[in-house]
Amino acid sequence: MVEDKKELLCRIAGLLFQKGLVSGKDGNISIKTGEDEMLITPSGICKGFLTPDMIIRQRFDGTIIEGSLKSTREAGMHSRLYELRPDIGAVVHTHPAAATAFAVCGRKFPENWLLEVPALIGKIGIAGFAPAGSAELVAEVEKVADSDVIFLQNHGVITYGPDIYEAFSRMDAVENTAKTILYSQILGDVREF
């Protein structure tokens, strides 16, 4: 069961990389596997090249159960979301260019431009700036954990869902929506509904 989830995590990481939703060595992805346990991607490895033996199995307090690589410094952020939201089964955190541009500017998507925003993406929360991997960042994420998507100020995006498929699909939808909004602004004359 855990081995299957490691393979799934690698497959989703590869899709994120292929679609340009994660680049270089950035981002981190996790799947909750128990009340106090998750599988999470390691630090410093390109998501397009992950293999199941690289995946870290760890407790929410950071204790490594299995894995020889270094865990991501963002593991605390994933753990805290699982603790606050029992409905979450997987978390995706990446820095997709268009959506991250909104996060850099501290802006949410307009809710009356695209049907996808209220229907597929849902409520967007903006977490204030804090250094990556810091307790301050976890505290900022806590403030908006009731959202469906979190924009991290000057950092990136977090999506989640009951499973990794939903978390991935939401990240894909967020980036596509961000691009569509930016293209619409270039064209001008946006028609609101």
Side-chain angles (χ1 to χ4, degrees), residues 102 107 109-118 177-186 188-193:
F102 278 84
R107 287 188 185 170
F109 297 153
E111 294 185 12
N112 59 349
W113 285 26
L114 291 166
L115 292 174
E116 287 83 356
V117 175
T177 298
K179 288 177 183 176
T180 303
I181 291 168
L182 292 173
Y183 294 155
S184 299
Q185 290 175 322
I186 292 168
D189 194 29
V190 171
R191 311 284 172 90
E192 298 178 352
F193 63 85

Side-chain angles (χ1 to χ4, degrees), residues 1 10 17-19 32 45 64 70 82 89 93-94 100 109 111 122 126 128 134 142 162 171 175 177 188 191:
M1 184 79 166
C10 291
F17 182 73
Q18 289 169 15
K19 291 188 68 67
K32 184 178 177 184
I45 307 286
I64 303 296
K70 182 181 176 188
Y82 292 131
H93 163 52
T94 66
T100 299
F109 297 153
E111 294 185 12
I126 299 179
S134 68
E142 285 178 354
M171 184 63 77
E175 180 65 357
T177 298
R191 311 284 172 90

Side-chain angles (χ1 to χ4, degrees), residues 36-172:
D36 180 36
E37 186 181 301
M38 65 182 165
L39 296 175
I40 195 160
T41 53
S43 178
I45 307 286
C46 175
K47 304 307 167 282
F49 306 131
L50 285 174
T51 57
D53 60 301
M54 296 177 180
I55 302 302
I56 309 295
R57 185 175 172 198
Q58 72 180 66
R59 292 198 172 84
F60 292 167
D61 68 3
T63 304
I64 303 296
I65 300 168
E66 183 182 339
S68 58
L69 297 175
K70 182 181 176 188
S71 182
T72 173
R73 63 183 171 174
E74 304 284 18
M77 185 172 68
H78 291 248
S79 299
R80 192 65 185 129
L81 282 167
Y82 292 131
E83 290 168 345
L84 292 169
R85 297 274 307 269
D87 58 312
I88 294 175
V91 176
V92 173
H93 163 52
T94 66
H95 311 150
T100 299
F102 278 84
V104 166
C105 296
R107 287 188 185 170
K108 299 177 185 180
F109 297 153
E111 294 185 12
N112 59 349
W113 285 26
L114 291 166
L115 292 174
E116 287 83 356
V117 175
L120 298 177
I121 294 170
K123 179 182 173 186
I124 297 173
I126 299 179
F129 176 77
S134 68
E136 294 82 10
L137 182 58
V138 174
E140 287 297 325
V141 167
E142 285 178 354
K143 294 176 187 176
V144 291
D146 63 334
S147 304
D148 300 302
V149 172
I150 300 174
F151 285 180
L152 301 173
Q153 180 78 49
N154 298 93
H155 185 158
V157 179
I158 304 172
T159 59
Y160 32 81
D163 56 45
I164 194 70
Y165 299 108
E166 183 62 31
F168 167 81
S169 296
R170 187 166 275 151
M171 184 63 77
D172 194 26

Side-chain angles (χ1 to χ4, degrees), residues 14-32:
L15 283 173
L16 288 164
F17 182 73
Q18 289 169 15
K19 291 188 68 67
L21 297 170
V22 64
S23 64
K25 298 177 181 178
D26 76 13
N28 30 79
I29 311 155
S30 68
I31 296 176
K32 184 178 177 184

